[in-house]
Amino acid sequence: MHASDVADDLVEVLFTEEQIQARVAEMATEIERDYEGKDLVIVGVLRGAVMIMADLARSLTKHVEMDWMAVSSYGSGTKSSGVVRILKDLDADITGRHVLIVDEIIDTGLTLSWLTSNLGSRGPASVEIATLLRKPEALQMPIEARYVGWDIPNEFVVGYGLDYRERYRNMRDIGTLAPSVYS
């Protein structure tokens, strides 16, 4: 689905499919450089990270293990509840390994702060974060992401894995959702 298919639901398109693919490829190049010769496992945060996880993994030219976690802090609303629950844990043992958490967006930072701490307690060599989007104005918890696609305003965005009530995830672009859709 393209932004043009749901144009009436969007205020504007922030990033096109082509811009997203170019930035993900740049991030992959940085990651390969920084993890040269290291045992890296990338951990996608379900469900939103499916798109960036797949595209990032395909952009890497070295072997990488992929694993997934599902955590919940949103419910069906538009704001984080701040309470994190693990719905699906890792299958891999990360002891002594370099872990790169891959997520589509850092909003409040509450979920990723909790997840970084949780994974860090499992004895990895390192835990870092890669995210396509970050909302600096929305941060409630200091969170350091090693790789960031773009900083964006504190607006409700959808597409490329980002959803509103499970809709818009399959949109190839990223756009700002019109308030009339969610208010």
Side-chain angles (χ1 to χ4, degrees):
M1 177 170 68
H2 296 276
S4 59
D5 297 320
V6 291
D8 291 343
D9 293 352
L10 303 176
V11 174
E12 69 177 314
V13 173
L14 295 175
F15 306 105
T16 65
E17 178 179 14
E18 294 76 19
Q19 290 172 310
I20 294 166
Q21 293 305 316
R23 185 63 186 118
V24 169
E26 290 170 359
M27 291 170 67
T29 300
E30 293 173 41
I31 290 165
E32 284 187 331
R33 180 193 65 227
D34 293 346
Y35 287 96
E36 179 67 36
K38 296 179 180 174
D39 183 20
L40 178 64
V41 58
I42 57 176
V43 175
V45 182
L46 291 170
R47 284 176 277 212
V50 168
M51 305 300 181
I52 186 170
M53 184 79 158
D55 288 343
L56 184 63
R58 286 188 301 229
S59 293
L60 295 169
T61 61
K62 308 267 192 255
H63 293 290
V64 65
E65 184 175 341
M66 296 169 49
D67 205 341
W68 298 93
M69 285 190 79
V71 295
S72 174
S73 67
Y74 277 86
S76 62
T78 61
K79 302 237 187 265
S80 175
S81 68
V83 177
V84 179
R85 295 180 312 135
I86 294 178
L87 304 176
K88 187 241 177 264
D89 207 344
L90 295 177
D91 294 323
D93 179 5
I94 60 170
T95 304
R97 302 185 69 192
H98 295 276
V99 176
L100 182 62
I101 301 169
V102 179
D103 208 356
E104 80 282 16
I105 192 167
I106 297 175
D107 199 332
T108 63
L110 296 170
T111 302
L112 278 175
S113 176
W114 181 90
L115 188 56
T116 302
S117 176
N118 180 285
L119 294 180
S121 72
R122 301 180 191 196
S126 67
V127 177
E128 298 287 351
I129 297 169
T131 185
L132 187 62
L133 304 173
R134 176 176 58 190
K135 294 181 181 178
E137 297 167 10
L139 286 174
Q140 295 177 14
M141 184 71 89
I143 189 96
E144 288 295 322
R146 188 165 182 177
Y147 310 97
V148 177
W150 294 283
D151 283 331
I152 62 169
N154 189 15
E155 297 173 351
F156 197 85
V157 293
V158 293
Y160 195 70
L162 296 152
D163 75 300
Y164 174 64
R165 295 190 174 175
E166 296 304 320
R167 299 182 67 174
Y168 307 98
R169 282 194 200 277
N170 62 322
M171 189 170 74
R172 295 171 180 268
D173 313 290
I174 295 174
T176 305
L177 191 62
S180 61
V181 175
Y182 60 87
S183 30

